[in-house]
Amino acid sequence: MAGSDPPSSPLAARLSPDHRETSGFMSPTAVAHDTSGDNPFREDAHDGAEHGENGADATPSQQHEDGERSQQSPSPEQKARPQRYHGAAKPASRTGAPQYKLQAKITGLERTGRKDPILRFDVHTNLPRFRTTQFRDVRRTHSEFVKLADHLISSSPEAMVPAVPPPLTSAGAGTDEDEARVKASLQRWLNYVCSNDVLIRDEEMVLFVESDFGYSPMVRRKQPATGVRRKVIKQFAPPPDDTPELQDARPVVKLFYLGTMEAGQKVDRVVKARRSLGLAESDLGVKLGQMHVQETHPGLRNAYRKLGKTIQTTGDYHAAQGTAEATTIGDPLQYHSSDAFIVKETLTNRHILLRDLLQAQQSTKSKLAATDRLKAATSVKRDKVDEALNALDEARSTESYLTQKTQRVTANLVQERRRWFTRTAADMRQSIREYVLRQIEAERRTLATLEMVRPDIRAIDSSGGLSRLGRESHPAARRASLAASQGPKGDAWSGVPRRPDGLNRSISGSMVSTVGEADEDDDAAEGEPERGGARAARSVAVASPGGALEGLKEEDDDDRIDAKNAASRLATSTF
């Protein structure tokens, strides 16, 4: 019987201790050690052991002569062995290896109405798969870029492919700013894809560049899990992960994705509100300008007309400011939200791969247990043995394939994560900086427009209109200043300086001016010494010469927080 002779059984022969040692279980991202096949390190170690045995019997002089001969010329054995086993040839092979590169430069953007824009670019490469090294005036539509990105995302789980920028910005189709921004964003996308060693070796990159009549992926790959199955997998806790850098990355990326999406929606509401404000101001300016028709006073009539035009212009500026907000901060937030979503899904694909590896390990373990039960059985049929061994070999090959793939994906994603964090932080800083500069520029432009109507407001009457507010004297003749109202010293509505105690007078109505009390004290000192002394003491205790409390340090006007200093700093700040 087959079970009476275990050593001669094919199951026992194939499940020998040497054979079973290779079926150990490893963690999902543990380094795999190949125990079969050609191993150059094992040959080197074996050759070193042979040389060590021969050198142990040689004398020191013979060892010295052998060392000199080995340094002068290689031995026949070294010539016969492959070049990769020579220790001295390794640096030369590394430096002599070609550095493969792929460079693409966008040269133009073509728009025809609302159709998909066409981008023209040149390509330079030294990859051996391409027909030639240079490709001039390659024309691809924006939708073809999207097709390439979708293929790269599905076929390269170890790379974080950036999202394709939108074909239209908030600056408006047909404007120079829109064309410049679309070209710059797609150029950054091409630079990243062409600098990735994994992506440039994809076969679809060759088809994307060399295709003469448009581009469409030859092989359509899908995500490892889609639809309801993907949603169900996301509901479970993530699998065990011994790479903390990637384990902590997905929650951060998800928060960034949700935060940028919510911030982009709020910026859209701000933009709509600012555009509505611009329309309302334009309407107000038109109606205010129409009031000069029925006004009989010449100065007020002129002020109505000029003020209406100024408010109408300010409304147009606010509408343009809303467009600038949507372009500088709204579009980047929406793009980074879609980019973070792709990164999050890439990390989710790695979790799915880890789950598949755990299932493969469990399958290998169950198949091995089944073969152990067959081995211990008293009678075993040959067909069952072959079936069990084939299932075990298939399970082991699947586990080995998934282990190697997991190691490759994990090692690449660690580097990709660092690059993505650095690139995203730099892009967000640049977008925020540009947004702040555009806001300051818009506010300065609005302020300069309001400055233009100031002489007309002062020219309403002969006394200067609003220019005499807060001044000591009210001159009969108007002394208007055409200098900017917002300067380093604050606002200056006219050439007449403000009273030094103008702000202190409004602190408290119970505060008595020291100037009047000093005069009364001088008169009382001659007639009533006691009463005058008490009043002087009370005045010293209550008020100081500046009208403030005794012993309390007066706040400097330059550091006071009010609208005047805020406008002054806005007018004089530089970036």
Side-chain angles (χ1 to χ4, degrees), residues 75-125:
S75 63
E77 294 180 358
Q78 291 180 348
K79 291 182 179 180
R81 285 190 299 171
Q83 187 69 18
R84 66 177 183 271
Y85 298 151
H86 296 172
K90 286 183 180 180
S93 62
R94 291 179 182 176
T95 57
Q99 292 291 335
Y100 293 118
K101 63 180 180 179
L102 178 65
Q103 297 176 350
K105 182 179 180 181
I106 294 180
T107 57
L109 175 66
E110 298 179 2
R111 290 187 184 275
T112 306
R114 296 186 177 180
K115 294 182 180 179
D116 201 12
I118 299 176
L119 292 109
R120 294 184 286 108
F121 56 95
D122 299 334
V123 177
H124 301 269
T125 181

CSV table of all heavy atoms in Angstrom, one decimal, residues 75-125:
chain,number,residue,atom,x,y,z
A,75,SER,N,42.5,36.5,-12.2
A,75,SER,CA,42.8,35.0,-12.4
A,75,SER,C,41.8,34.5,-13.5
A,75,SER,O,40.8,35.1,-13.8
A,75,SER,CB,42.5,34.3,-11.1
A,75,SER,OG,41.2,34.4,-10.7
A,76,PRO,N,42.1,33.4,-14.1
A,76,PRO,CA,41.2,32.8,-15.1
A,76,PRO,C,39.8,32.5,-14.5
A,76,PRO,O,38.8,32.6,-15.2
A,76,PRO,CB,41.9,31.5,-15.5
A,76,PRO,CG,43.4,31.7,-15.2
A,76,PRO,CD,43.4,32.6,-14.0
A,77,GLU,N,39.7,32.2,-13.2
A,77,GLU,CA,38.4,31.9,-12.6
A,77,GLU,C,37.6,33.2,-12.6
A,77,GLU,O,36.4,33.2,-12.9
A,77,GLU,CB,38.6,31.3,-11.2
A,77,GLU,CG,39.2,30.0,-11.2
A,77,GLU,CD,39.3,29.4,-9.8
A,77,GLU,OE1,39.0,30.2,-8.9
A,77,GLU,OE2,39.8,28.3,-9.6
A,78,GLN,N,38.3,34.3,-12.3
A,78,GLN,CA,37.6,35.6,-12.2
A,78,GLN,C,37.1,36.0,-13.6
A,78,GLN,O,36.1,36.6,-13.8
A,78,GLN,CB,38.5,36.7,-11.6
A,78,GLN,CG,38.7,36.5,-10.1
A,78,GLN,CD,39.6,37.6,-9.6
A,78,GLN,OE1,40.2,38.3,-10.4
A,78,GLN,NE2,39.7,37.7,-8.3
A,79,LYS,N,38.0,35.7,-14.7
A,79,LYS,CA,37.6,36.0,-16.0
A,79,LYS,C,36.4,35.2,-16.4
A,79,LYS,O,35.5,35.6,-17.2
A,79,LYS,CB,38.7,35.8,-17.0
A,79,LYS,CG,39.8,36.8,-16.8
A,79,LYS,CD,40.9,36.5,-17.8
A,79,LYS,CE,42.1,37.5,-17.7
A,79,LYS,NZ,43.1,37.3,-18.7
A,80,ALA,N,36.3,33.9,-16.0
A,80,ALA,CA,35.3,33.0,-16.4
A,80,ALA,C,34.0,33.4,-15.7
A,80,ALA,O,32.9,33.2,-16.3
A,80,ALA,CB,35.7,31.6,-16.1
A,81,ARG,N,34.0,33.9,-14.5
A,81,ARG,CA,32.8,34.2,-13.8
A,81,ARG,C,32.1,35.4,-14.4
A,81,ARG,O,32.8,36.2,-15.0
A,81,ARG,CB,33.1,34.4,-12.3
A,81,ARG,CG,33.4,33.1,-11.5
A,81,ARG,CD,33.4,33.4,-10.0
A,81,ARG,NE,34.5,34.3,-9.7
A,81,ARG,CZ,34.6,34.9,-8.5
A,81,ARG,NH1,33.7,34.6,-7.6
A,81,ARG,NH2,35.6,35.7,-8.2
A,82,PRO,N,30.8,35.6,-14.2
A,82,PRO,CA,30.1,36.8,-14.7
A,82,PRO,C,30.7,38.0,-14.1
A,82,PRO,O,31.3,38.1,-13.0
A,82,PRO,CB,28.7,36.6,-14.3
A,82,PRO,CG,28.6,35.1,-14.1
A,82,PRO,CD,29.9,34.6,-13.6
A,83,GLN,N,30.5,39.1,-14.9
A,83,GLN,CA,31.1,40.4,-14.4
A,83,GLN,C,30.5,40.9,-13.1
A,83,GLN,O,31.2,41.6,-12.4
A,83,GLN,CB,30.9,41.4,-15.6
A,83,GLN,CG,31.6,42.8,-15.3
A,83,GLN,CD,33.1,42.6,-15.4
A,83,GLN,OE1,33.6,41.7,-16.0
A,83,GLN,NE2,33.9,43.6,-14.9
A,84,ARG,N,29.3,40.6,-12.9
A,84,ARG,CA,28.6,41.1,-11.7
A,84,ARG,C,29.2,40.5,-10.4
A,84,ARG,O,28.9,41.0,-9.3
A,84,ARG,CB,27.1,40.8,-11.7
A,84,ARG,CG,26.7,39.4,-11.6
A,84,ARG,CD,25.2,39.2,-11.6
A,84,ARG,NE,24.8,37.8,-11.5
A,84,ARG,CZ,24.6,37.0,-12.5
A,84,ARG,NH1,24.8,37.4,-13.7
A,84,ARG,NH2,24.2,35.7,-12.3
A,85,TYR,N,30.0,39.5,-10.5
A,85,TYR,CA,30.6,38.9,-9.3
A,85,TYR,C,32.0,39.5,-9.0
A,85,TYR,O,32.6,39.2,-8.0
A,85,TYR,CB,30.8,37.4,-9.4
A,85,TYR,CG,29.4,36.7,-9.6
A,85,TYR,CD1,29.4,35.5,-10.3
A,85,TYR,CD2,28.3,37.2,-9.1
A,85,TYR,CE1,28.2,34.8,-10.5
A,85,TYR,CE2,27.1,36.5,-9.2
A,85,TYR,CZ,27.0,35.3,-9.9
A,85,TYR,OH,25.8,34.7,-10.1
A,86,HIS,N,32.5,40.3,-9.9
A,86,HIS,CA,33.8,40.9,-9.6
A,86,HIS,C,33.6,42.1,-8.7
A,86,HIS,O,32.9,43.1,-9.0
A,86,HIS,CB,34.4,41.4,-10.9
A,86,HIS,CG,34.7,40.2,-11.8
A,86,HIS,ND1,35.2,40.3,-13.1
A,86,HIS,CD2,34.6,38.8,-11.6
A,86,HIS,CE1,35.3,39.1,-13.7
A,86,HIS,NE2,35.0,38.2,-12.8
A,87,GLY,N,34.3,42.2,-7.6
A,87,GLY,CA,34.2,43.3,-6.7
A,87,GLY,C,34.7,44.6,-7.3
A,87,GLY,O,34.1,45.6,-7.0
A,88,ALA,N,35.8,44.6,-8.1
A,88,ALA,CA,36.3,45.8,-8.6
A,88,ALA,C,35.5,46.4,-9.7
A,88,ALA,O,35.6,47.5,-10.1
A,88,ALA,CB,37.7,45.6,-9.1
A,89,ALA,N,34.6,45.6,-10.3
A,89,ALA,CA,33.9,46.0,-11.5
A,89,ALA,C,32.5,46.6,-11.1
A,89,ALA,O,31.8,47.2,-11.9
A,89,ALA,CB,33.6,44.9,-12.5
A,90,LYS,N,32.1,46.5,-9.8
A,90,LYS,CA,30.8,47.0,-9.4
A,90,LYS,C,30.7,48.6,-9.5
A,90,LYS,O,29.8,49.1,-10.1
A,90,LYS,CB,30.5,46.6,-8.0
A,90,LYS,CG,30.1,45.1,-7.9
A,90,LYS,CD,29.8,44.7,-6.5
A,90,LYS,CE,29.4,43.2,-6.5
A,90,LYS,NZ,29.0,42.8,-5.1
A,91,PRO,N,31.7,49.4,-9.0
A,91,PRO,CA,31.6,50.8,-9.2
A,91,PRO,C,31.5,51.2,-10.6
A,91,PRO,O,30.8,52.1,-11.0
A,91,PRO,CB,32.8,51.4,-8.5
A,91,PRO,CG,33.2,50.3,-7.5
A,91,PRO,CD,32.9,49.0,-8.2
A,92,ALA,N,32.3,50.6,-11.5
A,92,ALA,CA,32.3,51.0,-12.9
A,92,ALA,C,30.9,50.7,-13.5
A,92,ALA,O,30.4,51.4,-14.4
A,92,ALA,CB,33.4,50.2,-13.7
A,93,SER,N,30.3,49.6,-13.2
A,93,SER,CA,29.0,49.2,-13.8
A,93,SER,C,27.9,50.2,-13.3
A,93,SER,O,27.0,50.5,-14.0
A,93,SER,CB,28.6,47.8,-13.4
A,93,SER,OG,28.5,47.7,-12.0
A,94,ARG,N,28.1,50.7,-12.0
A,94,ARG,CA,27.1,51.6,-11.5
A,94,ARG,C,27.2,53.0,-12.2
A,94,ARG,O,26.2,53.6,-12.6
A,94,ARG,CB,27.2,51.8,-10.0
A,94,ARG,CG,26.8,50.6,-9.2
A,94,ARG,CD,27.0,50.8,-7.8
A,94,ARG,NE,26.6,49.6,-7.0
A,94,ARG,CZ,26.8,49.5,-5.7
A,94,ARG,NH1,27.3,50.5,-5.0
A,94,ARG,NH2,26.5,48.4,-5.0
A,95,THR,N,28.4,53.4,-12.4
A,95,THR,CA,28.6,54.7,-13.0
A,95,THR,C,28.4,54.7,-14.5
A,95,THR,O,27.9,55.7,-15.1
A,95,THR,CB,30.1,55.2,-12.8
A,95,THR,OG1,31.0,54.2,-13.3
A,95,THR,CG2,30.3,55.5,-11.3
A,96,GLY,N,28.6,53.5,-15.1
A,96,GLY,CA,28.4,53.4,-16.5
A,96,GLY,C,26.9,53.1,-16.9
A,96,GLY,O,26.6,53.2,-18.1
A,97,ALA,N,26.0,52.9,-16.0
A,97,ALA,CA,24.6,52.6,-16.3
A,97,ALA,C,24.0,53.9,-16.8
A,97,ALA,O,24.2,55.0,-16.2
A,97,ALA,CB,23.9,52.1,-15.1
A,98,PRO,N,23.2,53.8,-17.9
A,98,PRO,CA,22.6,55.0,-18.4
A,98,PRO,C,21.5,55.6,-17.5
A,98,PRO,O,20.8,54.8,-16.8
A,98,PRO,CB,22.0,54.6,-19.7
A,98,PRO,CG,21.8,53.1,-19.6
A,98,PRO,CD,22.9,52.6,-18.6
A,99,GLN,N,21.4,56.9,-17.4
A,99,GLN,CA,20.3,57.5,-16.6
A,99,GLN,C,19.2,57.8,-17.5
A,99,GLN,O,19.2,58.7,-18.3
A,99,GLN,CB,20.9,58.8,-16.0
A,99,GLN,CG,21.9,58.6,-14.9
A,99,GLN,CD,21.4,58.0,-13.6
A,99,GLN,OE1,20.2,58.1,-13.3
A,99,GLN,NE2,22.2,57.3,-12.9
A,100,TYR,N,18.1,57.0,-17.4
A,100,TYR,CA,17.0,57.2,-18.3
A,100,TYR,C,16.2,58.4,-17.8
A,100,TYR,O,16.0,58.6,-16.6
A,100,TYR,CB,16.1,55.9,-18.2
A,100,TYR,CG,16.8,54.7,-18.8
A,100,TYR,CD1,17.0,53.6,-18.1
A,100,TYR,CD2,17.1,54.7,-20.2
A,100,TYR,CE1,17.6,52.4,-18.6
A,100,TYR,CE2,17.7,53.6,-20.7
A,100,TYR,CZ,18.0,52.5,-19.9
A,100,TYR,OH,18.6,51.4,-20.5
A,101,LYS,N,15.7,59.1,-18.8
A,101,LYS,CA,15.0,60.4,-18.5
A,101,LYS,C,13.9,60.6,-19.6
A,101,LYS,O,14.1,60.1,-20.7
A,101,LYS,CB,15.9,61.6,-18.4
A,101,LYS,CG,16.6,61.9,-19.7
A,101,LYS,CD,17.5,63.1,-19.6
A,101,LYS,CE,18.3,63.4,-20.9
A,101,LYS,NZ,19.1,64.6,-20.7
A,102,LEU,N,12.9,61.3,-19.2
A,102,LEU,CA,11.8,61.7,-20.1
A,102,LEU,C,11.4,63.1,-19.7
A,102,LEU,O,11.0,63.4,-18.6
A,102,LEU,CB,10.6,60.7,-19.9
A,102,LEU,CG,9.4,61.0,-20.8
A,102,LEU,CD1,9.7,60.8,-22.3
A,102,LEU,CD2,8.3,60.1,-20.4
A,103,GLN,N,11.6,64.0,-20.7
A,103,GLN,CA,11.3,65.4,-20.5
A,103,GLN,C,10.2,65.8,-21.5
A,103,GLN,O,10.3,65.5,-22.7
A,103,GLN,CB,12.5,66.2,-20.6
A,103,GLN,CG,13.6,65.9,-19.6
A,103,GLN,CD,14.9,66.7,-19.8
A,103,GLN,OE1,15.0,67.4,-20.9
A,103,GLN,NE2,15.8,66.7,-18.9
A,104,ALA,N,9.2,66.6,-21.0
A,104,ALA,CA,8.2,67.1,-21.8
A,104,ALA,C,8.0,68.6,-21.5
A,104,ALA,O,8.0,69.0,-20.3
A,104,ALA,CB,6.9,66.4,-21.6
A,105,LYS,N,7.8,69.4,-22.5
A,105,LYS,CA,7.7,70.9,-22.4
A,105,LYS,C,6.5,71.3,-23.2
A,105,LYS,O,6.4,71.1,-24.4
A,105,LYS,CB,8.9,71.6,-22.8
A,105,LYS,CG,8.8,73.1,-22.6
A,105,LYS,CD,10.1,73.8,-23.0
A,105,LYS,CE,10.0,75.3,-22.8
A,105,LYS,NZ,11.2,76.0,-23.2
A,106,ILE,N,5.5,72.0,-22.5
A,106,ILE,CA,4.3,72.4,-23.2
A,106,ILE,C,4.7,73.7,-23.9
A,106,ILE,O,5.2,74.7,-23.4
A,106,ILE,CB,3.2,72.7,-22.2
A,106,ILE,CG1,2.7,71.3,-21.6
A,106,ILE,CG2,2.0,73.4,-22.8
A,106,ILE,CD1,1.6,71.5,-20.5
A,107,THR,N,4.3,73.8,-25.2
A,107,THR,CA,4.6,74.9,-26.0
A,107,THR,C,3.4,75.7,-26.4
A,107,THR,O,3.6,76.9,-26.9
A,107,THR,CB,5.3,74.4,-27.3
A,107,THR,OG1,4.5,73.5,-28.0
A,107,THR,CG2,6.7,73.8,-27.0
A,108,GLY,N,2.2,75.2,-26.3
A,108,GLY,CA,1.0,76.0,-26.7
A,108,GLY,C,-0.2,75.4,-26.2
A,108,GLY,O,-0.3,74.2,-25.8
A,109,LEU,N,-1.3,76.2,-26.2
A,109,LEU,CA,-2.6,75.8,-25.8
A,109,LEU,C,-3.6,76.3,-26.8
A,109,LEU,O,-3.6,77.5,-27.1
A,109,LEU,CB,-2.9,76.3,-24.4
A,109,LEU,CG,-4.4,76.1,-23.8
A,109,LEU,CD1,-4.6,74.6,-23.6
A,109,LEU,CD2,-4.6,76.8,-22.5
A,110,GLU,N,-4.5,75.5,-27.3
A,110,GLU,CA,-5.4,75.9,-28.3
A,110,GLU,C,-6.9,75.6,-27.8
A,110,GLU,O,-7.2,74.6,-27.3
A,110,GLU,CB,-5.2,75.1,-29.6
A,110,GLU,CG,-3.9,75.3,-30.2
A,110,GLU,CD,-3.7,74.4,-31.5
A,110,GLU,OE1,-4.7,73.7,-31.9
A,110,GLU,OE2,-2.6,74.5,-32.1
A,111,ARG,N,-7.7,76.7,-27.9
A,111,ARG,CA,-9.1,76.6,-27.5
A,111,ARG,C,-10.0,76.9,-28.6
A,111,ARG,O,-9.7,77.9,-29.4
A,111,ARG,CB,-9.4,77.5,-26.3
A,111,ARG,CG,-8.8,77.2,-25.0
A,111,ARG,CD,-9.3,78.1,-23.9
A,111,ARG,NE,-8.6,77.9,-22.6
A,111,ARG,CZ,-9.0,76.9,-21.7
A,111,ARG,NH1,-10.1,76.2,-22.0
A,111,ARG,NH2,-8.4,76.8,-20.6
A,112,THR,N,-11.1,76.2,-28.7
A,112,THR,CA,-12.1,76.5,-29.8
A,112,THR,C,-13.4,76.5,-29.1
A,112,THR,O,-14.0,75.4,-29.0
A,112,THR,CB,-12.0,75.5,-30.9
A,112,THR,OG1,-10.7,75.4,-31.4
A,112,THR,CG2,-12.9,75.8,-32.0
A,113,GLY,N,-13.9,77.6,-28.7
A,113,GLY,CA,-15.2,77.7,-28.0
A,113,GLY,C,-15.1,76.9,-26.7
A,113,GLY,O,-14.2,77.1,-25.9
A,114,ARG,N,-16.1,76.1,-26.5
A,114,ARG,CA,-16.2,75.3,-25.3
A,114,ARG,C,-15.7,73.9,-25.5
A,114,ARG,O,-15.9,73.0,-24.6
A,114,ARG,CB,-17.7,75.2,-24.8
A,114,ARG,CG,-18.3,76.6,-24.4
A,114,ARG,CD,-19.6,76.4,-23.8
A,114,ARG,NE,-20.2,77.7,-23.4
A,114,ARG,CZ,-21.4,77.9,-22.8
A,114,ARG,NH1,-22.2,76.8,-22.6
A,114,ARG,NH2,-21.8,79.0,-22.4
A,115,LYS,N,-15.0,73.6,-26.6
A,115,LYS,CA,-14.5,72.3,-26.8
A,115,LYS,C,-13.3,72.0,-25.9
A,115,LYS,O,-12.8,72.9,-25.3
A,115,LYS,CB,-14.1,72.2,-28.3
A,115,LYS,CG,-15.3,72.2,-29.2
A,115,LYS,CD,-14.8,72.0,-30.7
A,115,LYS,CE,-15.9,72.0,-31.6
A,115,LYS,NZ,-15.5,71.8,-33.0
A,116,ASP,N,-12.9,70.7,-25.9
A,116,ASP,CA,-11.8,70.3,-25.0
A,116,ASP,C,-10.5,71.0,-25.6
A,116,ASP,O,-10.2,70.9,-26.8
A,116,ASP,CB,-11.7,68.8,-25.1
A,116,ASP,CG,-10.9,68.3,-23.9
A,116,ASP,OD1,-10.6,69.0,-23.0
A,116,ASP,OD2,-10.5,67.1,-24.0
A,117,PRO,N,-9.8,71.7,-24.7
A,117,PRO,CA,-8.6,72.4,-25.2
A,117,PRO,C,-7.5,71.4,-25.7
A,117,PRO,O,-7.4,70.2,-25.1
A,117,PRO,CB,-8.1,73.2,-24.0
A,117,PRO,CG,-8.7,72.5,-22.8
A,117,PRO,CD,-10.0,71.9,-23.3
A,118,ILE,N,-6.7,71.8,-26.6
A,118,ILE,CA,-5.6,71.0,-27.1
A,118,ILE,C,-4.3,71.5,-26.7
A,118,ILE,O,-4.0,72.7,-26.8
A,118,ILE,CB,-5.6,70.9,-28.7
A,118,ILE,CG1,-7.0,70.3,-29.2
A,118,ILE,CG2,-4.5,70.1,-29.2
A,118,ILE,CD1,-7.1,70.3,-30.7
A,119,LEU,N,-3.4,70.7,-26.1
A,119,LEU,CA,-2.1,71.1,-25.6
A,119,LEU,C,-1.0,70.6,-26.6
A,119,LEU,O,-1.1,69.4,-26.9
A,119,LEU,CB,-1.9,70.6,-24.2
A,119,LEU,CG,-2.8,71.3,-23.2
A,119,LEU,CD1,-3.8,70.3,-22.6
A,119,LEU,CD2,-1.9,71.9,-22.0
A,120,ARG,N,-0.1,71.4,-26.9
A,120,ARG,CA,1.0,71.0,-27.8
A,120,ARG,C,2.3,71.0,-26.9
A,120,ARG,O,2.5,72.0,-26.2
A,120,ARG,CB,1.2,72.0,-28.9
A,120,ARG,CG,0.0,72.0,-29.9
A,120,ARG,CD,0.2,72.9,-31.1
A,120,ARG,NE,0.0,74.3,-30.8
A,120,ARG,CZ,1.0,75.1,-30.7
A,120,ARG,NH1,2.2,74.8,-30.9
A,120,ARG,NH2,0.7,76.4,-30.4
A,121,PHE,N,3.1,70.0,-27.0
A,121,PHE,CA,4.3,69.9,-26.2
A,121,PHE,C,5.3,69.1,-27.0
A,121,PHE,O,5.0,68.3,-27.9
A,121,PHE,CB,4.0,69.2,-24.9
A,121,PHE,CG,3.4,67.8,-25.0
A,121,PHE,CD1,4.1,66.7,-24.9
A,121,PHE,CD2,2.0,67.7,-25.1
A,121,PHE,CE1,3.6,65.4,-25.0
A,121,PHE,CE2,1.4,66.4,-25.2
A,121,PHE,CZ,2.2,65.3,-25.1
A,122,ASP,N,6.6,69.3,-26.6
A,122,ASP,CA,7.8,68.6,-27.2
A,122,ASP,C,8.3,67.6,-26.1
A,122,ASP,O,8.2,67.8,-24.9
A,122,ASP,CB,8.9,69.5,-27.5
A,122,ASP,CG,8.4,70.5,-28.6
A,122,ASP,OD1,7.5,70.2,-29.4
A,122,ASP,OD2,9.0,71.6,-28.7
A,123,VAL,N,8.8,66.5,-26.6
A,123,VAL,CA,9.3,65.4,-25.7
A,123,VAL,C,10.7,65.0,-26.1
A,123,VAL,O,11.1,64.9,-27.3
A,123,VAL,CB,8.4,64.1,-25.8
A,123,VAL,CG1,9.0,63.0,-25.0
A,123,VAL,CG2,7.0,64.5,-25.4
A,124,HIS,N,11.6,64.9,-25.1
A,124,HIS,CA,13.0,64.4,-25.3
A,124,HIS,C,13.2,63.3,-24.3
A,124,HIS,O,12.8,63.3,-23.1
A,124,HIS,CB,14.0,65.5,-24.9
A,124,HIS,CG,13.8,66.8,-25.8
A,124,HIS,ND1,14.5,66.9,-27.0
A,124,HIS,CD2,13.0,67.9,-25.6
A,124,HIS,CE1,14.1,68.1,-27.5
A,124,HIS,NE2,13.3,68.7,-26.7
A,125,THR,N,13.8,62.2,-24.8
A,125,THR,CA,13.9,61.0,-24.0
A,125,THR,C,15.1,60.1,-24.5
A,125,THR,O,15.5,60.3,-25.7
A,125,THR,CB,12.6,60.1,-24.0
A,125,THR,OG1,12.8,59.0,-23.1
A,125,THR,CG2,12.3,59.7,-25.4
